[in-house]
PDB file of all heavy atoms in Angstrom:
ATOM      1  N   ILE N 133       1.281  45.517 -23.227  1.00 98.00           N
ATOM      2  CA  ILE N 133       0.620  44.380 -23.843  1.00 98.00           C
ATOM      3  C   ILE N 133       0.358  43.328 -22.767  1.00 98.00           C
ATOM      4  O   ILE N 133       1.098  43.220 -21.787  1.00 98.00           O
ATOM      5  CB  ILE N 133       1.446  43.773 -24.991  1.00 98.00           C
ATOM      6  CG1 ILE N 133       2.768  43.192 -24.477  1.00 98.00           C
ATOM      7  CG2 ILE N 133       1.698  44.801 -26.089  1.00 98.00           C
ATOM      8  CD1 ILE N 133       3.559  42.444 -25.531  1.00 98.00           C
ATOM      9  N   ASN N 142       5.800  45.143 -22.108  1.00 98.00           N
ATOM     10  CA  ASN N 142       5.774  46.539 -22.544  1.00 98.00           C
ATOM     11  C   ASN N 142       6.746  46.744 -23.701  1.00 98.00           C
ATOM     12  O   ASN N 142       7.857  46.224 -23.706  1.00 98.00           O
ATOM     13  CB  ASN N 142       6.155  47.473 -21.400  1.00 98.00           C
ATOM     14  CG  ASN N 142       5.916  48.931 -21.754  1.00 98.00           C
ATOM     15  OD1 ASN N 142       4.801  49.409 -21.696  1.00 98.00           O
ATOM     16  ND2 ASN N 142       6.971  49.641 -22.133  1.00 98.00           N
ATOM     17  N   HIS N 143       6.280  47.506 -24.708  1.00 96.00           N
ATOM     18  CA  HIS N 143       7.110  47.949 -25.820  1.00 96.00           C
ATOM     19  C   HIS N 143       7.546  49.389 -25.564  1.00 96.00           C
ATOM     20  O   HIS N 143       6.708  50.277 -25.395  1.00 96.00           O
ATOM     21  CB  HIS N 143       6.307  47.948 -27.132  1.00 96.00           C
ATOM     22  CG  HIS N 143       6.323  46.657 -27.863  1.00 96.00           C
ATOM     23  ND1 HIS N 143       7.404  46.215 -28.596  1.00 96.00           N
ATOM     24  CD2 HIS N 143       5.372  45.719 -28.003  1.00 96.00           C
ATOM     25  CE1 HIS N 143       7.107  45.041 -29.147  1.00 96.00           C
ATOM     26  NE2 HIS N 143       5.886  44.725 -28.798  1.00 96.00           N
ATOM     27  N   ASP N 159      13.515  49.200 -30.832  1.00 98.00           N
ATOM     28  CA  ASP N 159      12.392  48.676 -30.051  1.00 98.00           C
ATOM     29  C   ASP N 159      12.908  47.788 -28.918  1.00 98.00           C
ATOM     30  O   ASP N 159      13.783  46.933 -29.127  1.00 98.00           O
ATOM     31  CB  ASP N 159      11.453  47.868 -30.950  1.00 98.00           C
ATOM     32  CG  ASP N 159      10.208  47.400 -30.207  1.00 98.00           C
ATOM     33  OD1 ASP N 159       9.262  48.187 -30.079  1.00 98.00           O
ATOM     34  OD2 ASP N 159      10.202  46.238 -29.751  1.00 98.00           O
ATOM     35  N   TYR N 160      12.368  48.017 -27.743  1.00 98.00           N
ATOM     36  CA  TYR N 160      12.709  47.212 -26.572  1.00 98.00           C
ATOM     37  C   TYR N 160      11.417  46.578 -26.051  1.00 98.00           C
ATOM     38  O   TYR N 160      10.504  47.269 -25.616  1.00 98.00           O
ATOM     39  CB  TYR N 160      13.360  48.089 -25.508  1.00 98.00           C
ATOM     40  CG  TYR N 160      13.436  47.485 -24.122  1.00 98.00           C
ATOM     41  CD1 TYR N 160      13.947  46.207 -23.916  1.00 98.00           C
ATOM     42  CD2 TYR N 160      12.995  48.203 -23.008  1.00 98.00           C
ATOM     43  CE1 TYR N 160      14.022  45.660 -22.647  1.00 98.00           C
ATOM     44  CE2 TYR N 160      13.066  47.675 -21.736  1.00 98.00           C
ATOM     45  CZ  TYR N 160      13.571  46.407 -21.551  1.00 98.00           C
ATOM     46  OH  TYR N 160      13.635  45.861 -20.294  1.00 98.00           O
ATOM     47  N   LEU N 161      11.342  45.268 -26.147  1.00 98.00           N
ATOM     48  CA  LEU N 161      10.178  44.521 -25.666  1.00 98.00           C
ATOM     49  C   LEU N 161      10.575  43.734 -24.423  1.00 98.00           C
ATOM     50  O   LEU N 161      11.475  42.894 -24.470  1.00 98.00           O
ATOM     51  CB  LEU N 161       9.667  43.568 -26.748  1.00 98.00           C
ATOM     52  CG  LEU N 161       8.590  42.554 -26.313  1.00 98.00           C
ATOM     53  CD1 LEU N 161       7.337  43.263 -25.812  1.00 98.00           C
ATOM     54  CD2 LEU N 161       8.256  41.596 -27.444  1.00 98.00           C
ATOM     55  N   GLN N 162       9.894  44.020 -23.325  1.00 97.00           N
ATOM     56  CA  GLN N 162      10.135  43.305 -22.072  1.00 97.00           C
ATOM     57  C   GLN N 162       8.877  42.526 -21.710  1.00 97.00           C
ATOM     58  O   GLN N 162       7.782  43.088 -21.639  1.00 97.00           O
ATOM     59  CB  GLN N 162      10.478  44.281 -20.948  1.00 97.00           C
ATOM     60  CG  GLN N 162      10.705  43.625 -19.600  1.00 97.00           C
ATOM     61  CD  GLN N 162      11.957  42.752 -19.574  1.00 97.00           C
ATOM     62  OE1 GLN N 162      13.055  43.232 -19.793  1.00 97.00           O
ATOM     63  NE2 GLN N 162      11.787  41.462 -19.310  1.00 97.00           N
ATOM     64  N   LEU N 163       9.034  41.216 -21.491  1.00 97.00           N
ATOM     65  CA  LEU N 163       7.921  40.348 -21.127  1.00 97.00           C
ATOM     66  C   LEU N 163       8.136  39.799 -19.719  1.00 97.00           C
ATOM     67  O   LEU N 163       9.264  39.487 -19.336  1.00 97.00           O
ATOM     68  CB  LEU N 163       7.791  39.188 -22.114  1.00 97.00           C
ATOM     69  CG  LEU N 163       7.453  39.539 -23.565  1.00 97.00           C
ATOM     70  CD1 LEU N 163       7.600  38.322 -24.458  1.00 97.00           C
ATOM     71  CD2 LEU N 163       6.049  40.115 -23.679  1.00 97.00           C
ATOM     72  N   LEU N 175      11.670  37.909 -20.102  1.00 95.00           N
ATOM     73  CA  LEU N 175      12.386  37.779 -21.367  1.00 95.00           C
ATOM     74  C   LEU N 175      12.397  39.142 -22.039  1.00 95.00           C
ATOM     75  O   LEU N 175      11.363  39.808 -22.129  1.00 95.00           O
ATOM     76  CB  LEU N 175      11.709  36.753 -22.272  1.00 95.00           C
ATOM     77  CG  LEU N 175      12.335  36.535 -23.661  1.00 95.00           C
ATOM     78  CD1 LEU N 175      13.722  35.945 -23.530  1.00 95.00           C
ATOM     79  CD2 LEU N 175      11.447  35.628 -24.512  1.00 95.00           C
ATOM     80  N   ALA N 176      13.554  39.560 -22.533  1.00 97.00           N
ATOM     81  CA  ALA N 176      13.691  40.848 -23.207  1.00 97.00           C
ATOM     82  C   ALA N 176      14.175  40.637 -24.629  1.00 97.00           C
ATOM     83  O   ALA N 176      15.034  39.789 -24.891  1.00 97.00           O
ATOM     84  CB  ALA N 176      14.659  41.751 -22.452  1.00 97.00           C
ATOM     85  N   ILE N 177      13.619  41.430 -25.568  1.00 97.00           N
ATOM     86  CA  ILE N 177      14.021  41.382 -26.971  1.00 97.00           C
ATOM     87  C   ILE N 177      14.321  42.801 -27.420  1.00 97.00           C
ATOM     88  O   ILE N 177      13.472  43.688 -27.343  1.00 97.00           O
ATOM     89  CB  ILE N 177      12.916  40.776 -27.854  1.00 97.00           C
ATOM     90  CG1 ILE N 177      12.552  39.366 -27.379  1.00 97.00           C
ATOM     91  CG2 ILE N 177      13.356  40.743 -29.318  1.00 97.00           C
ATOM     92  CD1 ILE N 177      11.371  38.757 -28.110  1.00 97.00           C
ATOM     93  N   LYS N 244       6.842  39.065 -34.599  1.00 97.00           N
ATOM     94  CA  LYS N 244       6.006  40.065 -33.937  1.00 97.00           C
ATOM     95  C   LYS N 244       5.084  40.689 -34.976  1.00 97.00           C
ATOM     96  O   LYS N 244       5.543  41.176 -36.005  1.00 97.00           O
ATOM     97  CB  LYS N 244       6.880  41.154 -33.288  1.00 97.00           C
ATOM     98  CG  LYS N 244       7.765  40.655 -32.159  1.00 97.00           C
ATOM     99  CD  LYS N 244       8.565  41.787 -31.513  1.00 97.00           C
ATOM    100  CE  LYS N 244       9.656  42.275 -32.410  1.00 97.00           C
ATOM    101  NZ  LYS N 244      10.528  43.282 -31.755  1.00 97.00           N
TER     102      LYS N 244
END
Side-chain angles (χ1 to χ4, degrees):
I133 64 174
N142 189 80
H143 272 284
D159 185 82
Y160 165 50
L161 170 61
Q162 178 67 60
L163 296 170
L175 178 65
I177 302 174
K244 295 182 288 186

